[in-house]
Every structure is written in C-alpha cells, then in structure tokens.
C-alpha cells in the first residue's frame, strides 16, 4: 500500500499529527494542574475532578481519531479497502459519542471554577454561571443520547453490513446544535471579563491574562471552523437523510472537521488549566509571574475582585504570609472548610502581583473590601489599567457635546435593528420561495417578529428599564437578539418553517427590549425641546440600515438562491451579526451612560408645571373629564399601533400590488427595487421632518404626516393605471409615513414623569400592530375576492383612524401646553450679570409671581387654568 499511498492524496497524517500534538499539550497542562492543586496546594475541588474526567474523555476522543486515520480516515473512498470499513465506522461512531461529553466536562469544570471564584462577591457572575452550566449539561446529555442511539438498531451506526436501518443524520445534528456550542463558548469567554478588567494588574500577569483569553477566543474560532468543514462533508441535497459515513468521500471531507473538533476540546482543556498553575509556576519559575518593576507597596494592593485606589487602602492591611519569608516554601495543607482566600485560585493568580500568596484575612474584612471595590467601580472605574471613565450625570441634565456623544452611541442600536429588519424582510421572501410556502406562512414569519414586540416590551423590557436602567436594558436586549440570530442556524440547515418562526420571534423579542430603552433614551438625553429632532435623526439612521441590508441581501447574500436553493451560506451573515452583538454588549457594559430615575423624571415634570392629576377639559364634557396625561398616552399608543399596522401591511403587499397591475417585463424597476426605493423615501422623510422640527411644532408635523399619508394611501388604492403609475403615490406615501413613529414616541412621552418608562414600554409594544393587519389585508382579498389594490383600503382606514391623535393634540388647548416643546430660557428669566444662576432670591421672586398668577386666574374647581411652574437646579428642560 505504500506506493499507492504516495500517489493518492490523504489527510490522515496531518489529522493524526495535529490531534496527537494538541492532546499531548492538554495532557501536560492537566498533569501540571494536578501537581499544582494536589501536590503543592494539597487542596481538591469539584472542578479538578471534572477536569480529570474531561481528560479521559479527550483521550478517548483523540484515540478514536488517530485510530481512524490508520483505517482510512482522511482518504478518498476509492483508496479505502473494503476490509477497513467496519473499523473506520467504529472509530467515527466512537467520536460522535465522546465529543459532546468531553466538551461538556471541559466547560463544566470552567463554570464550577467561576462559581468558586465568585463566591460571596459577584452575584451576577454566579447566576449567569449557573444558567450557562445548566444549558451546557442539558444540551450535552441530550446530544450524547441522540448520538448513541442515532440508528435503529444501534449497531447499524457502526456496522456497514446492516440494512433496513433507520438513522438520523449526525452531521445535521451537529450543525443544528452549533448555536448552543457557540453561545456557551461566548458566555464562558465573556462572563469573567467584567470582573477581571476591573483589576489593576502588573504587566506580566496582565500579559498572561491576555494570552489566556486569546486562547479562549481561538477555541471559539475553532468551533466555527469545525462547523465550516462539517458543512463541506455533506451533500446539501441529502443532508437530512444520510447516516454516518455514507456520503460520497465522507472519510476525506469529514476528517478535517474531526481534527478541529479534537483541537477544540484539547485547547479548551488547556485554557481551563492555566489559571490553576500559579503555585507550581511560583516554585519553578517565580520570575515569570513577578513584576520586578513594581514596588512592594504596589504589589501588596489586591485582595478582592477589584483592586482599590491607593487612597482606599485600609490601614490594618497585613502583609501576606509569603511576603514575610524570603525563601519560597510550601503552603500549609488546606484545612477542611478552608475559605476561598486559603486556596491558590485564579484570583490569587491575577491579583497578587508579586507572585505571593494573599493574606488570610477575616471574612468580614474581605466582604467589606469587595463591597468597597464594587462601589469604586460604579463611581469611577479604571478598566484593565488603561480605560478610565467617570460616571456621567443624569441624562436630563446633559447638554451640547455631551448629549450628542451619548446619542450617537445609542444610535448604533437603531442601525442594528434597522439592518436586522431589512435582512429579515428579504429573508422571509426567500424562505417562502425555497420552502414553497403559502402567503399565509410568509405572513406568519412577519407576525412572529412583530408579535414579539408586544411580549418583549411589556415583560423583560419594562422590567429591565425600571429596575436596572437603560444600560441594563440595552445589554439584555442585545443578548436575546444575538441568541435569536444564532437560532437561525439550525432553521437554515433544515429549512424548517417552525424554526424560522421561533428565530424571528426571539429576534423581535430582543429588539423590542432594546428599543424599549433606546427611544426614551434619545428623547430624554438632552434639551427636551429637541427630543423629536434627536429621535427622528436616529430613526432615519435605522431606516438607512434597513435599506442597506436589503441591498446587501439582494445583491450579495441571495444571488445564488435561484440556482442553489439553500440558506446554509446565509448563516454566516447571522453568525457575524451575533458576534458583533456580543462586542456591542461589552461596549455598552464598559461605556458609562447617563441614567434617569423615576424621581428625576417626576421632578422634571413637576418643574414644568405638568401635574399627573390635570384634566383634559376645564369643565366636564358629556359628563366626562379624563386625566390629561393618561388620555394622551392611550391615544398615542393607539395611533402607534395603527401606524405600524399600516406600515407593515404596505411593506408586505407592495410588491404584490405592482405585480398584480403590470407584468414584470413592463415595470420600469423590478418590484424589489421599487421596494428599496420606497424604504429610501421612508428614510428621507425622517431626515427632512427632523430638520422641520427645528422650525415647526412637532404636533403640526405629525398632523401633516397622517393627513398626507391618508391622501396618498387613498390614491394608491384608487388610481386606475399601470404599476408604474401607482408606484408614484405609493412612494410618496412611504415618505409621509416615515416620521410618524418617532414623532408619536417623543410627543407621547413628554410630561409623563414617573410613568415615562412604563409609557415607553407601551409605545414600543404598539409595534405589534404589524403582526395583525397584514392578515386583515389578506382576508379582504380572499373572502371578498378583491384585488390587492382594493385591499389597500385597510391602509387608508388605519391612517384615517390614526389621524384622530394629531387632531386631539392640535384641538385641545391643555394638551398643546403639555406636548409643545418650550425652550428652557422661557421658564425662568435670567440675569446677564450672574450668568443665569439659580439663587434663593430668584426662586422666592419666581414663587411670588406664580402665586400672583394663581390669584388672578380662577380656582381649579371653577374651570380656570391651574398650571404651576417651579424651578430647580440650574433650569430644567421641557419634559
């Protein structure tokens, strides 16, 4: 066979070498860990035992691959003797059984280590570690059993002579489980970062930390590479029907994927062992972890998860045991019930700069130190020794460049969900073509996305915003959104309609949580008189992202769909989005953003003379006189619901409208390009109306938008001409509908006080209108046997009813007082001499003027106006 092997290409040797070398390296680090923990430290914990189990599983995994290379793994089918097939299938089957347990044990060891590291100090890290631990083990057990019993009978999985078997495709199973692996890899990589970056580390230990996380990033990259080669190992046409090893040249194409799987497990073991090696390294190479450039006083400064500023050091801090001895001596044996301080774990490795053991301090002192550390991080944080950021003031007090900076940062989120919406909109159309879906199923995908807005905004979004604040809501929404994009992966592999429904719902849920905070953030961060301007500009960026994603999808991502009906390649786009989302979530974690408490918002509304008990009318009308703020909010939510329903109904049926009026050959532009042009005018409308907000009252602009939209929707419905002629009023309709969402949102929030965050969740949940009315338009066509153009009467009706809200704003005087933005300077006269500072004399003078105005006007019960204006601080914005 030697001459034959020389002439026929084979990957077997490279697979054998890489697998063996990485396993030997992993074995070296495991042995070093056992010496460090069991020999030097003489202390054993659960993560050590689980790591031993992971090593045994990694040995079996690596051995099965190495043995397989001797029986044809890495060769073409024509180069594999018939007598080798049984052993080859057996080695492949052994690999499928051992891979998930080996990975599960490695990740479990790391997560148990996180739990030990965060004991009594980092509650969020502990909760997240427990959740990740549950996901890792549940998924690992389920996948292991699916792999073991992939065939009926079981022996058919490794015996090629068996016939009449029923098997599932293991490669399909691996591809479908890829999001779980990637999510848990990212979670394990990201979870300790906020804790570790809060430390001030000496240079050498900082270098070791960076190298350790670089290895962790490499493991995640290896997982992605493994999935890529798995996809190359199967024929897409038969991906869901082939059993293990039966594909054409499977041993050749799958060998690389198996090799990278072994690399993933072995490098993961190395990453898990590195943080436990300090006792051994301190014995053998103490200079490796000792930073001689730092003074002893600096090296003494770390006993908790976050080092303290020099001025915060406690005077009773005792020197460590090791520092009191010149020679390095073995640590005393660990006692039963030893505390975390008595172990040599990751925190000792990272926070004891001189390479010495930390002081065995009183648990009470440690708790106090950790609490002080967290306080220091919250107020004035130094991340990893080079990022120094101060906590900003309340967003209600931000002005000028400061407000502009924060608004630009949050506008990134608007671009993200605009990009996602445009991509999903195009994707849904492609899915319907590939899977031969009915129009009802296609609308189901849209309904899943917009229906999630109702649940996400009113549950997680509202809770996170009210309890955790804007930053917490941003991060939570981004994590859910990233999970949803990864869930698209198995749906694309199987072309599964239920899978697409679930992934669309999760994506919409995450974006609704993020949007619950993003819209009010822009409305509140800066002078209130420019709230509509800020929100319109950001929403214009969102619409631009939607246009760009549709262009990308049409011109790049889906060009090959017609010739190759598969969405597997598109999953890489969603993987890139998911990774970008993780980076963005970390960015928001470290970026200090201003917040606004309910008390701040209530004070702002009170200072502007807006009372929660104020009535709509001076005297009851028809026996009714509802509360002004809640009435305005209810009408704003209703108008928002109707608007999104009309917007999405138009977007869904616009292409069908053009095709129903003219053949595709007679269209000046394709229906797709007309749709992109419509969304472009949509974005243009937002930018133009943002400029108009600087000179015109927003409620008048909102009335103009609804009125213009109603007229041009009616023209789109009634004009009797070809598709090119109908496209004209339809494109103008897109222009007028563009500014509606941000105008309603900003106007609806103004003056809500303590209810501002709750109102933001209601206004965001109103986007669920897009889940309902496309089906109503379909019903009009089907039940009444009407044309698509006639069905646009639904859009006309929606805009006509939505017109009631701007009419209410413009016709009720008391409502105009609340919703009209007023420059800050008009609330309190400013003296040029003192720069407009607030003084006791000015406050007293202003109070007397308010009392005088009250005396002149009728009392509240007599029907007169009862509006109070107060001043606080250095002036307030119109809220």
């Amino acid at each position: 066979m030697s001459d034959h092997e020389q002439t026929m290409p084979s990957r077997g040797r490279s697979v054998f070498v890489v697998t063996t070398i990485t396993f030997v390296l992993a074995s070296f680090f495991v042995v070093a860990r056992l010496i460090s923990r069991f020999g030097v430290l003489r202390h054993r914990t659960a993560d050590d035992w689980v790591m031993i189990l992971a090593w045994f599983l990694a040995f079996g995994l690596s051995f099965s691959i190495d043995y397989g290379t001797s029986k044809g793994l890495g060769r073409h089918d024509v180069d594999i003797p018939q007598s080798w097939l049984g052993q080859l299938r057996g080695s492949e089957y052994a690999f499928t059984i051992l891979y998930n347990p080996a990975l599960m044990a490695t990740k479990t060891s790391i997560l148990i280590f996180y739990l030990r590291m965060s004991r009594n100090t980092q509650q969020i890290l502990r909760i997240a570690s427990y959740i990740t631990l549950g996901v890792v083990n549940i998924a690992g057990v389920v996948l292991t059993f699916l792999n073991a019993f992939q065939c009926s009978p079981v022996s058919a999985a490794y015996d090629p002579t068996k016939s009449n078997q029923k098997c599932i495709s293991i490669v399909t199973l691996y591809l479908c489980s890829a999001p779980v692996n990637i999510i848990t890899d990212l979670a394990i990589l990201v979870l300790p970062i906020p804790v570790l970056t809060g430390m001030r580390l000496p240079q050498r230990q900082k270098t070791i930390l960076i190298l350790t996380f670089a290895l962790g990033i490499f493991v995640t990259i290896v997982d992605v590479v493994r999935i890529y080669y798995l996809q190359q190992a199967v024929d897409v046409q038969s991906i869901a029907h082939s059993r293990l090893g039966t594909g054409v040249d499977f041993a050749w194409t799958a060998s690389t994927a198996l090799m990278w799987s072994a690399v993933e497990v072995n490098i993961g073991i190395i990453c898990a062992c590195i943080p436990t090696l300090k006792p051994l390294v301190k014995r053998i190479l103490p200079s490796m972890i000792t930073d001689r450039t730092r003074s002893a006083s600096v090296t003494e400064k770390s006993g908790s998860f976050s080092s303290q500023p020099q001025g915060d050091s406690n005077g009773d801090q005792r020197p460590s045991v090791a520092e009191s001895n010149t020679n390095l001596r073995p640590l005393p044996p660990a006692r039963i019930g030893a505390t975390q301080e008595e172990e040599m774990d990751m925190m000792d490795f990272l926070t004891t700069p001189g390479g010495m053991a930390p002081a065995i301090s009183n648990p009470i002192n440690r708790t106090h130190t950790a609490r002080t550390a967290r306080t220091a991080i919250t107020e004035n944080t130094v991340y990893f020794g080079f990022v120094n950021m101060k906590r900003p003031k309340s967003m209600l007090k931000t002005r000028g460049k400061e407000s502009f900076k924060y608004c630009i940062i949050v506008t990134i989120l608007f671009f993200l969900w605009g990009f996602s919406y445009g991509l999903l909109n195009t994707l849904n159309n492609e899915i319907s073509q590939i899977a031969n879906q009915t129009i009802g199923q296609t609308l189901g995908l849209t309904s899943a996305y917009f229906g999630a807005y109702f649940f996400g905004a009113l549950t997680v979004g509202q809770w996170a915003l009210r309890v955790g604040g804007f930053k917490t809501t941003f991060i939570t929404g981004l994590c859910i959104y990233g999970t949803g994009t990864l869930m698209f992966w198995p749906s694309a592999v199987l072309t599964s309609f239920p899978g697409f429904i679930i992934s669309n719902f999760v994506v919409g849920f995450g974006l609704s949580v993020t949007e619950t905070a993003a819209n009010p953030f822009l409305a509140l961060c800066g002078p209130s008189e420019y709230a509509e301007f800020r929100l319109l500009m950001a929403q214009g960026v969102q619409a631009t992202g939607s246009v760009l994603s549709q262009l990308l999808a049409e011109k790049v991502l889906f060009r090959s769909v017609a010739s190759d009906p598969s969405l597997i390649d598109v999953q890489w786009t969603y993987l890139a989005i998911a990774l970008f989302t993780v980076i963005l979530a970390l960015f928001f974690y470290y970026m200090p953003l201003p917040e606004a408490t309910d008390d701040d918002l209530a004070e702002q509304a009170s200072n502007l003379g807006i009372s929660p008990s104020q009535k709509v009318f001076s005297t009851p009308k028809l026996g009714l006189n509802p509360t002004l703020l809640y009435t305005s909010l209810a009408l704003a939510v209703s108008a928002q619901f109707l608007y999104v329903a009309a917007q999405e109904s138009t977007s869904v049926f616009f292409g069908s409208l053009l095709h129903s009026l003219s053949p595709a050959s007679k269209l000046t532009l394709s229906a797709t390009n007309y749709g992109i042009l419509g969304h472009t005018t949509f974005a243009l409308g937002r930018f133009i109306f943002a400029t108009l907000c600087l000179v015109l009252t927003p409620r008048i602009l909102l009335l103009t938008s609804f009125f213009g939209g109603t007229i041009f929707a009616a023209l789109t419905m009634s004009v009797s001409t070809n598709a090119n002629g109908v496209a004209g009023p339809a494109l103008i309709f897109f222009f007028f509908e563009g500014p509606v969402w941000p105008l309603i949102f900003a106007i609806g929030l103004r003056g809500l006080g303590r209810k501002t965050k709750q109102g933001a969740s209601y206004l965001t949940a109103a986007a669920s209108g897009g889940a309902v009315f496309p089906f109503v338009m379909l019903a009009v066509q089907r039940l009444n046997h009407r044309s698509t153009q006639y069905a646009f009467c639904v859009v006309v009706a929606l805009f006509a009813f939505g017109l009631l809200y701007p009419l209410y704003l413009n016709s009720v005087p008391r409502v105009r007082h609340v919703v009209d933005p007023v420059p800050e300077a008009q609330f309190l006269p400013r003296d040029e001499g003192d720069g407009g500072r607030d003084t006791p004399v000015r406050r007293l003078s202003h109070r007397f003027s308010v009392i005088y105005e009250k005396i002149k006007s009728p009392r509240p019960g007599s029907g007169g106006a009862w509006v109070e204006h107060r001043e606080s601080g250095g002036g307030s914005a119109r809220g």
Side-chain angles (χ1 to χ4, degrees):
M1 290 291 296
S2 60
D3 294 338
H4 187 60
E5 290 177 2
Q6 292 177 2
T7 58
M8 295 297 293
S10 173
R11 296 173 175 171
R13 179 172 297 178
S14 59
V15 171
F16 177 87
V17 170
V18 172
T19 301
T20 303
I21 290 177
T22 55
F23 176 71
V24 170
L25 290 174
S27 301
F28 171 79
F29 278 89
V30 170
V31 171
R33 174 182 181 137
L34 297 181
I35 295 174
S36 179
R37 298 284 295 168
F38 292 9
V40 177
L41 192 59
R42 298 185 183 180
H43 189 72
R44 305 163 184 83
T45 52
D47 52 319
D48 298 318
W49 298 112
V50 175
M51 181 50 62
I52 294 174
L53 173 62
W55 181 85
F56 277 107
L57 293 171
F59 169 75
L61 178 75
S62 301
F63 178 80
S64 66
I65 295 175
D66 288 347
Y67 178 76
T69 58
S70 68
K71 297 300 179 182
L73 184 64
R75 298 187 180 189
H76 292 282
D77 289 346
V78 297
D79 196 30
I80 302 175
Q82 192 69 24
S83 59
W84 287 5
L85 292 180
Q87 294 93 325
L88 177 60
R89 297 290 182 269
S91 65
E92 292 169 348
Y93 179 71
F95 166 83
T96 62
I97 293 179
L98 293 173
Y99 171 72
N100 285 296
L103 205 59
M104 178 178 65
T106 303
K107 293 180 180 180
T108 299
S109 176
I110 296 174
L111 290 167
I112 293 175
F113 173 71
Y114 286 177
L115 292 172
R116 183 163 58 87
M117 180 178 71
S118 59
R119 187 185 309 164
N120 301 325
T121 52
Q122 294 289 334
Q123 191 64 23
I124 295 179
L125 176 59
R126 290 184 65 81
I127 294 173
S129 297
Y130 274 120
I131 294 174
T132 308
L133 187 63
V135 173
V136 165
N137 284 273
I138 292 174
V141 171
V142 170
L143 291 172
T144 299
F145 275 97
L146 288 175
N147 289 328
F149 301 100
Q150 59 187 272
C151 286
S152 177
V154 176
S155 59
Y158 54 84
D159 188 352
T161 63
K162 293 288 183 179
S163 59
N164 297 325
Q165 79 285 340
K166 295 181 179 179
C167 298
I168 61 175
S169 173
I170 288 300
V171 177
T172 302
L173 183 63
Y174 279 147
L175 291 176
C176 292
S177 63
V180 178
N181 277 339
I182 295 176
I183 290 172
T184 53
D185 284 347
L186 292 175
I188 291 173
L189 182 65
V190 168
L191 282 177
I193 290 180
V195 178
L196 300 178
T197 52
M199 304 174 184
R200 294 179 181 175
L201 306 178
Q203 187 62 39
R204 295 189 180 182
Q205 292 185 26
K206 188 182 296 184
T207 302
I208 295 173
L209 176 63
I210 292 174
L211 292 176
T212 303
F213 272 88
L215 276 178
I217 295 173
F218 176 72
V219 171
T220 305
I221 295 174
V222 166
D223 193 19
V224 175
V225 173
R226 178 185 70 88
I227 294 168
Y228 171 78
Y229 282 107
L230 274 176
Q231 288 186 184
Q232 306 305 310
V234 295
D235 180 9
V236 175
Q237 302 295 335
S238 59
I239 187 172
H241 307 289
S242 59
R243 67 167 171 161
L244 182 67
T246 59
V248 178
D249 274 343
F250 182 83
W252 164 267
T253 54
S255 59
T256 310
L258 269 60
M259 177 192 73
W260 284 111
S261 299
V263 171
E264 178 188 10
V265 172
N266 293 329
I267 299 299
I269 290 176
I270 293 174
C271 290
C273 292
I274 288 177
T276 65
L277 301 183
K278 184 176 180 180
L280 182 62
V281 174
K282 192 178 68 174
R283 289 280 190 102
I284 301 174
L285 295 171
S287 61
M288 181 177 177
I289 57 176
T290 303
D291 194 348
R292 297 179 180 178
T293 62
R294 296 175 63 91
S295 63
S297 60
V298 176
T299 60
E300 206 172 290
K301 278 184 182 283
S302 52
S304 68
F305 285 99
S306 180
S307 59
Q308 303 300 310
Q310 295 186 13
D312 293 342
S313 300
N314 297 328
D316 59 348
Q317 185 177 4
R318 291 175 289 176
S320 63
V321 176
E323 285 178 0
S324 62
N325 298 276
T326 305
N327 298 325
L328 298 174
R329 295 182 295 183
L331 292 173
R335 303 189 304 274
I336 298 178
T339 64
Q340 187 177 10
E341 293 77 49
E342 294 169 296
E343 301 178 19
M344 189 63 72
D345 59 12
M346 186 175 191
M347 302 320 301
D348 304 323
F349 180 78
L350 295 173
T351 61
T352 311
M356 306 303 179
I360 303 176
S361 58
N362 190 308
I364 298 177
N365 291 337
R366 178 177 175 84
T367 303
H368 171 74
T369 303
R371 187 181 299 113
T372 306
R374 290 193 297 271
T375 303
I377 287 180
T378 302
E379 298 299 331
N380 255 339
T381 308
V382 178
Y383 292 120
F384 211 47
F386 62 83
V387 181
N388 190 357
M389 295 181 176
K390 295 182 179 180
R391 185 177 182 180
K393 57 188 176 183
S394 170
M395 66 170 61
L396 304 181
K397 300 178 181 178
T398 56
R399 299 293 182 269
K401 293 182 179 180
E402 189 177 25
S403 172
F404 178 78
K405 174 183 69 175
Y406 295 128
C407 290
I408 286 294
I409 292 171
V410 176
T411 300
I412 297 174
L413 297 177
F414 284 82
F415 181 85
L416 177 66
W417 71 63
F419 189 90
S420 176
Y421 170 75
L423 198 61
L424 287 174
N425 194 32
T426 309
L427 175 65
N428 290 343
N429 296 329
E430 300 298 335
I431 292 171
S432 63
Q433 296 179 17
I434 293 173
N436 296 319
Q437 294 176 354
T438 64
I439 188 172
Q441 288 178 314
T442 305
L443 293 181
L445 298 177
T446 301
S447 295
Y449 178 84
F450 283 97
Y453 268 72
F454 179 83
F455 298 99
L458 295 181
T459 56
V460 177
Q462 181 178 180
W463 178 82
L465 183 59
R466 299 178 67 180
V467 176
F470 289 92
K471 176 185 285 191
T472 301
T473 311
F474 291 151
I475 297 174
T476 303
L478 287 171
C479 291
I480 298 174
Y481 169 72
T483 303
T485 57
L486 287 178
M487 290 174 66
F488 169 81
W489 198 306
S491 306
V493 172
L494 300 175
T495 317
S496 168
F497 176 72
F500 287 124
I501 287 286
I502 295 173
S503 60
N504 274 18
F505 182 87
V506 176
V507 165
F509 194 98
L511 290 178
S512 68
V513 172
T514 307
E515 196 164 354
T516 302
N519 284 299
F521 185 96
L522 286 171
L524 298 172
C525 188
S528 182
E529 60 187 289
Y530 302 121
E532 288 83 1
F533 172 80
R534 293 191 298 269
L535 199 50
L536 278 165
M537 292 296 292
Q539 290 282 355
V541 172
Q542 179 261 346
T544 303
S546 178
V547 172
L548 292 178
S549 64
Q550 290 182 66
L551 286 172
L552 177 65
E554 290 293 334
K555 306 302 180 183
V556 179
L557 298 179
F558 298 110
R559 291 184 62 184
S560 61
V561 169
S563 58
D564 183 16
S566 171
L567 293 172
I568 292 180
D569 291 337
V570 185
Q571 67 195 18
W572 299 108
T573 302
Y574 280 86
L575 175 61
I577 294 174
L579 296 177
F580 174 74
T581 301
V582 172
I583 295 172
L584 194 59
L586 284 174
F587 171 78
F588 274 100
Y589 177 85
Y590 289 110
M591 182 66 196
L593 294 176
E595 297 282 348
T597 65
D598 288 343
D599 291 337
D600 294 335
L601 296 167
E603 182 182 3
Q604 183 194 54
S606 177
N607 291 336
L608 298 172
I610 301 173
S611 172
S613 60
Q614 190 173 358
K615 302 298 183 180
V616 175
F617 306 109
S618 57
T619 58
K621 306 292 185 181
L622 301 177
L624 299 176
N625 197 6
T627 304
L628 187 149
L629 289 180
Y630 300 136
T631 302
S632 299
L633 178 61
L635 290 175
V637 172
S638 300
Q640 198 79 290
F641 180 88
L642 296 172
Y643 156 72
V644 178
Q647 173 198 327
E648 191 55 27
S649 298
T650 303
S651 179
V652 169
F653 287 98
F654 182 58
S656 300
L657 171 67
L658 298 179
H659 285 304
S660 66
L661 295 175
S662 296
S665 59
K666 294 186 178 181
L667 289 175
T668 304
L669 298 174
S670 67
T672 300
N673 289 335
Y674 264 126
I676 295 175
L677 183 59
H679 286 95
T680 302
T681 60
F682 182 89
L684 187 62
R686 288 182 169 177
F687 287 123
I688 292 177
F689 272 68
T691 305
L692 293 176
C693 273
L694 301 177
V695 294
L696 296 175
T697 307
R699 57 181 168 80
I700 296 177
L701 293 177
L702 181 61
L703 178 62
T704 303
S705 294
F706 265 106
F707 190 73
T710 304
I711 291 176
F712 285 96
L715 289 175
T716 303
M717 170 196 166
S718 59
V719 170
S720 298
T721 182
N722 59 20
N724 294 315
V726 171
L731 293 177
I732 300 177
F733 171 75
F734 276 106
F735 175 84
F736 278 107
E737 73 170 358
V740 175
W741 171 279
L743 285 174
I744 292 178
F745 213 107
I747 294 173
L749 282 186
R750 183 168 279 120
L752 289 181
R754 291 183 179 275
K755 301 296 182 180
T756 299
K757 296 178 180 179
Q758 189 174 356
S761 67
Y762 293 154
L763 288 167
T764 304
S768 57
V772 179
F773 279 88
F775 283 104
V776 175
M777 285 192 69
L778 180 62
V780 169
Q781 299 174 57
R782 295 289 176 83
L783 298 180
N784 297 328
H785 303 286
R786 297 286 188 170
S787 65
T788 304
Q789 186 177 18
Y790 178 85
F792 268 73
C793 66
V794 175
V795 177
V796 177
L798 290 170
F799 256 71
F801 281 106
L803 189 59
L804 295 175
Y805 178 60
L807 289 174
Y808 161 80
L809 296 178
N810 285 274
S811 60
V812 181
R814 289 192 172 188
V815 176
R816 293 200 300 268
H817 165 78
V818 172
V819 302
D820 283 353
V822 178
E824 296 177 359
Q826 295 186 15
F827 286 97
L828 181 67
R830 296 180 180 272
D831 296 332
E832 299 296 334
D834 61 0
R837 291 187 300 105
D838 184 26
T839 63
V841 174
R842 178 174 295 147
R843 288 198 299 269
L844 183 61
S845 174
H846 184 58
R847 174 59 60 188
F848 275 118
S849 66
V850 170
I851 294 174
Y852 178 72
E853 291 296 331
K854 288 181 180 179
I855 294 174
K856 288 176 59 179
S857 61
R859 298 184 60 185
S862 62
W866 185 267
V867 181
E868 179 183 2
H869 295 276
R870 291 186 297 167
E871 180 66 16
S872 68
S876 60
R878 177 73 173 158

